[in-house]
Amino acid sequence: MKFLVFSEDGNGATGLVTKLRESGEVDSITLGGEESKCINYGSKTVTVLKGRAMGDNSLKAIQAMNPESYDKIFISSSPLGRDIAGMIAATLKSLVITEVFDFTLENEIIRTKRFFYGGKTILEEESRAKVITTQPGAFEAKKVDSSSPLNFVELEESKISLEEEVEKDRSGTDIESASILISVGRGIGKKEALDQVKPLVEAVHGELSGSRPVCLDYKWLSEERQVGLSGKKVKPKVYIALGISGQIQHIAGMRGSKIVIAVNKDKEAPIFQECDYGIVGDLFQVVPKLVSSLK
Amino acid sequence: MPMNIVVLIKQIIDIDQMKTDPKSGEPLTQNIPMRIENLSKNSIEAAVQLKEKNGGKVTGIIFGTDKSNAAMKEAFAMGVDEGFIITGYSGNNPTYTASVLGRKIRELGSVDCVIMGNQSADSYTGLLPGLLSAALSMPLLGNAVSVSLEGEKIKIKRVLDEKDEIVSAQKPCIVSVTQEINQPRLPPVLQIMAAGRKPINTGQAEKGDFEMPKVLSNLAPKSDRKREIYEDMDKGIAEISKIIRGEMK
């Protein structure tokens, strides 16, 4: 079989290509500057789109690669990835299955798993969908010895013009690859309280992440640290949830964690249904004690 | 300049109220009320604000069922001027959904802007904006946290992982919004009453030749968590630090 894989940031392609290379030949596409992340995973070719990638001009570049000649087109889910997936599905008039976190292939039949009802159920479907979007980090990446040959494609000008760009204070962190995550929720109360959590992050050599309100509504943490259905899907060895109530959308982002530890004042918080170990108590009392006990 | 704005409204079952059967894991959807999906409310608010600022008209479209009247009336109360309900929604093929909505939008004639949510709360497909952009050949301004009309251009601010961007395109455009764009208004009682009297146009979706995926199962994920909860803080800390140390090795 022949597969086409698109990943905006390169990282999304690694696990996907690893999984697909067992079943056939893979051509990958990524954006300029991200190619080094995905050249060692067994793609037959890696096409690099150079220039300012928007939906319309990326679609044109992908169309020039003859998408109908591929058996399936996989797109790693991201803002641009989802826009492009819709556009390709419209041009191919194909069924598209989205936000897939697990699948098996049997010729053109694909069995897929994705969350439904806001993460409350897992929907398992069987179809001939030609376009599939996948959750980044859902599949384990394994490198190969060789590197894929690169093709560079200059993007045409987009109909969408950039008026202004505001770079974010980006720590360049990648919470998806952390082995221990300390995740904070509304329960920390204010941004300054993060300083009281940081000693724990250091003590366990972990990374800091947060719930949607913390990252998007209050902006106490940057968006790249958001765990949840609409954020990153993480599966660390240990996930420590501090002051997170455990809304289903959050659980859907951390369900793959090996061990979940929760600290919450509210005994009835739903997070206690989804944790391995829990402490009912004030996180500002628990955290310092936990830090000294770890030393 | 007066604008002709279309807003796409999705109606879903109230997933916050929905539970799953503790034994079988089946979703218990019976007797759960329907509601306008939250991002559709943000979309309506964004459309109505554009109209209030520039003049014009907001047309709401629901691809739904014969139970979608209440959602449309709520949209009227929030400021939508005209409403179309297309019945026959099945929901599991976004390409079909887009083709039905695309046909309706084309029928409406000259449109400046089509506004919708970027990802719906039930299925999170996030595909409709891209599908409609390609089907209607309108540029897609995606993930907007603000939207405005500037002459012949529509301008949005969008939030990406690594940066914020202000981008614009010649209208007509597709605009997808995130929940951070606004706080949807709660309409006053008078407007709610007036909305009830407003006529709604309804029609049936044309069946096309579209594949529907076969559902193999739709169940709550099994949670094998240990759920060892400590109300004695010191005991809990001792146990948990042992576990963490074990995993750090």
Side-chain angles (χ1 to χ4, degrees):
Chain A
M1 290 181 91
K2 271 181 77 188
F3 307 110
L4 190 60
V5 167
F6 174 87
S7 159
E8 180 176 355
D9 67 356
N11 285 331
T14 58
L16 198 46
V17 174
T18 304
K19 184 168 168 75
L20 289 170
R21 71 189 185 216
E22 297 160 16
S23 320
E25 230 173 66
V26 188
D27 290 318
S28 301
I29 308 171
T30 190
L31 302 187
E34 314 292 351
E35 60 270 24
S36 61
K37 295 181 201 160
C38 58
I39 54 169
N40 294 114
Y41 293 90
S43 296
K44 195 171 141 245
T45 63
V46 173
T47 297
V48 184
L49 306 183
K50 294 188 73 180
R52 218 167 53 78
M54 302 299 282
D56 57 347
N57 57 359
S58 305
L59 175 69
K60 268 196 188 150
I62 295 169
Q63 276 178 317
M65 292 176 70
N66 227 351
E68 51 289 323
S69 71
Y70 290 87
D71 294 295
K72 303 263 179 236
I73 299 161
F74 287 87
I75 293 174
S76 176
S77 186
S78 66
L80 180 64
R82 286 188 291 275
D83 290 356
I84 290 174
M87 293 175 187
I88 295 178
T91 54
L92 296 178
K93 299 197 167 39
S94 155
L95 171 65
V96 39
I97 307 284
T98 54
E99 302 293 309
V100 166
F101 61 85
D102 193 14
F103 66 86
T104 54
L105 278 163
E106 213 184 302
N107 299 316
E108 80 273 21
I109 307 280
I110 185 164
R111 280 184 175 212
T112 47
K113 284 185 188 171
R114 62 185 173 114
F115 287 116
F116 206 74
Y117 291 127
K120 287 190 175 172
T121 61
I122 291 173
L123 185 57
E124 195 177 349
E125 294 166 304
E126 187 179 275
S127 71
R128 290 184 158 74
K130 198 160 168 174
V131 183
I132 297 103
T133 73
T134 58
Q135 290 187 351
F139 312 104
E140 199 188 339
K142 282 203 188 99
K143 285 194 178 182
V144 295
D145 292 331
S146 57
S147 31
S148 312
L150 295 173
N151 300 325
F152 290 91
V153 172
E154 206 66 48
L155 286 165
E156 285 179 27
E157 199 166 324
S158 167
K159 279 186 188 161
I160 295 158
S161 39
L162 180 68
E163 310 249 335
E164 203 184 318
E165 205 170 11
V166 188
E167 289 293 330
K168 276 188 204 163
D169 178 19
R170 198 178 182 230
S171 46
T173 178
D174 178 13
I175 60 166
E176 284 153 306
S177 61
S179 71
I180 299 186
L181 276 177
I182 317 295
S183 215
V184 295
R186 241 190 278 245
I188 68 157
K190 54 179 193 255
K191 189 175 181 179
E192 293 68 37
L194 284 170
D195 292 338
Q196 295 178 58
V197 173
K198 281 175 185 158
L200 179 59
V201 180
E202 282 155 28
V204 299
H205 311 296
E207 280 285 353
L208 198 57
S209 59
S211 64
R212 180 165 182 138
V214 164
C215 297
L216 292 184
D217 298 339
Y218 309 132
K219 302 191 196 303
W220 296 336
L221 286 174
S222 62
E223 280 140 33
E224 56 183 347
R225 293 182 189 267
Q226 186 208 336
V227 172
L229 197 56
S230 62
K232 302 264 165 72
K233 320 291 182 298
V234 296
K235 30 185 172 181
K237 287 207 288 197
V238 184
Y239 187 84
I240 306 174
L242 303 175
I244 291 180
S245 65
Q247 293 302 314
I248 192 74
Q249 292 85 350
H250 185 80
I251 302 299
M254 49 67 107
R255 191 167 266 138
S257 307
K258 190 179 152 210
I259 297 172
V260 175
I261 295 167
V263 179
N264 204 300
K265 271 198 282 202
D266 177 11
K267 200 173 139 185
E268 304 298 324
I271 190 76
F272 288 128
Q273 294 303 312
E274 290 290 342
C275 75
D276 295 294
Y277 304 94
I279 297 179
V280 182
D282 181 359
L283 72 96
F284 298 109
Q285 288 176 32
V286 173
V287 168
K289 283 189 176 182
L290 188 55
V291 172
S292 46
S293 144
L294 282 165
K295 274 178 182 160
Chain B
M1 215 168 66
M3 294 181 82
N4 213 345
I5 307 160
V6 170
V7 60
L8 303 183
I9 303 161
K10 182 167 178 178
Q11 196 190 24
I12 62 171
I13 71 158
D14 194 340
I15 46 175
D16 295 328
Q17 290 191 42
M18 192 200 87
K19 293 199 163 45
T20 51
D21 186 286
K23 282 214 182 81
S24 68
E26 303 264 356
L28 304 170
T29 55
Q30 273 197 340
N31 303 321
I32 305 291
M34 303 288 285
R35 64 163 158 94
I36 296 186
E37 204 273 313
N38 291 355
L39 275 166
S40 290
K41 285 197 181 170
N42 296 109
S43 306
I44 296 168
E45 181 63 39
V48 172
Q49 282 185 17
L50 274 177
K51 176 188 75 171
E52 286 168 347
K53 188 144 186 239
N54 305 288
K57 179 179 159 190
V58 177
T59 307
I61 305 178
I62 299 179
F63 187 14
T65 64
D66 53 8
K67 294 191 181 71
S68 299
N69 278 25
M72 189 59 88
K73 283 181 179 164
E74 197 177 337
F76 284 158
M78 287 178 73
V80 169
D81 301 290
E82 194 179 10
F84 291 90
I85 294 173
I86 311 168
T87 58
Y89 181 68
S90 62
N92 46 9
N93 184 336
T95 310
Y96 173 57
T97 304
S99 114
V100 170
L101 289 167
R103 186 176 300 140
K104 186 80 225 169
I105 295 165
R106 257 184 247 113
E107 269 175 33
L108 296 176
S110 129
V111 165
D112 295 308
C113 180
V114 182
I115 302 180
M116 70 201 79
N118 67 339
Q119 276 191 323
S120 64
D122 57 346
S123 58
Y124 265 78
T125 66
L127 263 268
L128 204 54
L131 280 160
L132 282 171
S133 167
L136 298 168
S137 305
M138 291 184 193
L140 166 57
L141 300 170
N143 303 299
V145 294
S146 73
V147 56
S148 61
L149 174 73
E150 315 235 326
E152 288 296 301
K153 279 182 156 183
I154 291 173
K155 197 158 136 180
I156 67 151
K157 181 175 175 187
R158 56 190 215 141
V159 173
L160 302 176
D161 275 349
E162 67 281 12
K163 61 190 175 207
D164 292 349
E165 282 182 348
I166 294 173
V167 292
S168 68
Q170 206 73 25
K171 61 189 175 83
C173 299
I174 308 279
V175 175
S176 78
V177 305
T178 70
Q179 69 180 48
E180 286 77 24
I181 192 167
N182 54 38
Q183 191 69 46
R185 69 191 67 190
L186 293 168
V189 179
L190 269 179
Q191 249 165 286
I192 298 173
M193 282 164 66
R197 293 189 292 269
K198 209 173 212 166
I200 299 171
N201 308 292
T202 44
Q204 175 93 35
E206 264 179 57
K207 292 247 181 334
D209 182 20
F210 289 90
E211 182 193 355
M212 296 296 164
K214 191 168 126 196
V215 173
L216 302 176
S217 74
N218 186 17
L219 299 173
K222 286 200 183 79
S223 172
D224 310 323
R225 299 285 173 207
K226 294 195 180 74
R227 298 191 195 98
E228 285 179 22
I229 314 297
Y230 297 90
E231 293 196 47
D232 176 341
M233 192 186 293
D234 293 322
K235 209 171 148 199
I237 287 168
E239 184 62 30
I240 283 169
S241 68
K242 208 160 66 191
I243 302 288
I244 296 175
R245 260 186 265 127
E247 290 301 318
M248 281 172 70
K249 274 177 200 150

